[in-house]
Amino acid sequence: MKKYVSDFQIASIEHINEKYVLIKLTQVEELPEILPGQFVEVRVDHSPATFLRRPISIHFVDRKNNELWLLVAAIGEGTRHLAALHKGDTMNCMYPLGNGFTMPSNSNEKVLLVGGGVGVAPLLYYGKMLKDMGCEPIFLLGARSAKDLLMLDEFNKYGKVCITTEDGTAGEKGFVTNHSILGKIRFDRIATCGPKPMMIAVAKYASKNNIECEASLENKMACGVGACLCCVENTTEGNVCVCKEGPVINIKKLLWQI
């Protein structure tokens, strides 16, 4: 796919809570083809301590308003600077990068999308694309507490939402792999993104039950085009750059102990 470097204008910026920010970007030109699971590399301007672009998952593509949504966790110098921007400011992005999630072969497939923390970000656009083809997914979203759950109103637009929280303040208490939905439905396909221990647990469940599963890896990325080699992951096909060969990778290729 063709890559672009564009100066976007911030159409809106919403502080969801003290940590997460939803940034909606727009430009004059119509957005190109973007696959669910791809990401952008954002240039952090006017931040002397930030030298490299920041990789951020594409949260959603709003074709009607020509907007690209980014869900940003403000946890470091670069992302905190992005979270401090305002409506009308400019944000330079290189996009769309990496490979996306696999679309089902037919609309009858039962698809489970499992996310935790900011890892829920790429699952919203994937869910929308699935629903557009007539395949209504089930979202299984995990968080430490109810206050850490993100964008539930948006997820509810595209499929059933199941929730787990570690402290039991919302949904079922426990981890995503403990949710009762896993014992009620036989899924054909699973996609997951979030903390690595969570993804490994999901991969174990999928492998045990012979379910196709893809994981969106969150390795540290600097260049986004496979040049710097800082995001390398060892797989059954050797070392691959997650930013180029991923970030979405079938669990059968990953050398996780599952």
Side-chain angles (χ1 to χ4, degrees):
M1 292 179 64
K2 184 177 180 180
K3 310 304 179 188
Y4 301 83
V5 179
S6 300
D7 282 327
F8 285 92
Q9 185 179 60
I10 296 179
S12 68
I13 183 163
E14 176 187 351
H15 291 261
I16 300 172
N17 55 33
E18 68 278 1
K19 180 178 178 181
Y20 293 100
V21 178
L22 175 64
I23 302 175
K24 297 182 180 181
L25 304 173
T26 191
Q27 61 179 8
V28 175
E29 297 79 11
E30 183 179 351
L31 290 170
E33 178 187 8
I34 297 173
L35 304 177
Q38 290 186 304
F39 67 100
V40 303
E41 284 274 2
V42 180
R43 190 179 71 205
V44 184
D45 296 326
H46 312 301
S47 177
T50 308
F51 302 101
L52 301 173
R53 289 177 178 263
R54 291 295 184 263
I56 300 175
S57 295
I58 293 172
H59 184 41
F60 193 74
V61 180
D62 182 349
R63 295 287 175 186
K64 181 180 178 181
N65 295 307
N66 201 44
E67 290 179 347
L68 185 70
W69 296 11
L70 304 179
L71 184 61
V72 179
I75 55 177
E77 176 70 22
T79 49
R80 285 196 296 268
H81 188 85
L82 296 177
L85 295 174
H86 301 89
K87 179 180 179 180
D89 286 342
T90 298
M91 183 180 289
N92 183 274
C93 297
M94 179 168 58
Y95 77 109
L97 302 175
N99 295 314
F101 293 107
T102 302
M103 297 299 292
S105 57
N106 63 77
S107 61
N108 294 321
E109 287 193 25
K110 292 181 172 61
V111 184
L112 179 68
L113 309 184
V114 186
V118 77
V120 304
L123 302 181
L124 180 63
Y125 184 42
Y126 189 25
K128 193 265 186 188
M129 297 292 283
L130 289 169
K131 187 168 185 179
D132 284 351
M133 68 169 286
C135 177
E136 188 164 330
I138 291 179
F139 298 98
L140 178 51
L141 309 178
R144 290 182 178 178
S145 181
K147 64 182 178 60
D148 300 311
L149 292 165
L150 306 169
M151 308 295 292
L152 294 184
D153 289 343
E154 292 296 328
F155 283 106
N156 273 301
K157 293 178 182 178
Y158 304 108
K160 179 180 178 180
V161 177
C162 299
I163 293 170
T164 65
T165 51
E166 293 179 29
D167 63 2
T169 51
E172 297 185 13
K173 185 175 182 179
F175 301 118
V176 288
T177 47
N178 303 132
H179 198 283
S180 59
I181 194 70
L182 298 179
K184 297 176 181 178
I185 297 177
R186 165 68 190 187
F187 292 98
D188 301 300
R189 182 180 300 275
I190 297 175
T192 184
C193 185
K196 189 172 181 179
M198 183 208 78
M199 291 196 292
I200 290 176
V202 173
K204 285 181 179 179
Y205 170 83
S207 180
K208 179 181 178 181
N209 291 277
N210 196 29
I211 302 171
E212 281 294 311
C213 181
E214 292 178 322
S216 179
L217 275 56
E218 297 185 322
N219 296 30
K220 291 181 185 276
M221 304 178 197
C223 71
V225 294
C228 69
L229 306 180
C230 75
C231 66
V232 166
E233 179 82 15
N234 192 13
T235 71
T236 58
E237 299 175 351
N239 290 327
V240 302
C241 291
V242 169
C243 69
K244 189 175 181 181
E245 305 300 328
V248 178
I249 299 178
N250 193 295
I251 63 166
K252 295 174 183 176
K253 296 182 180 180
L254 295 171
L255 299 180
W256 292 348
Q257 294 183 349
I258 58 176

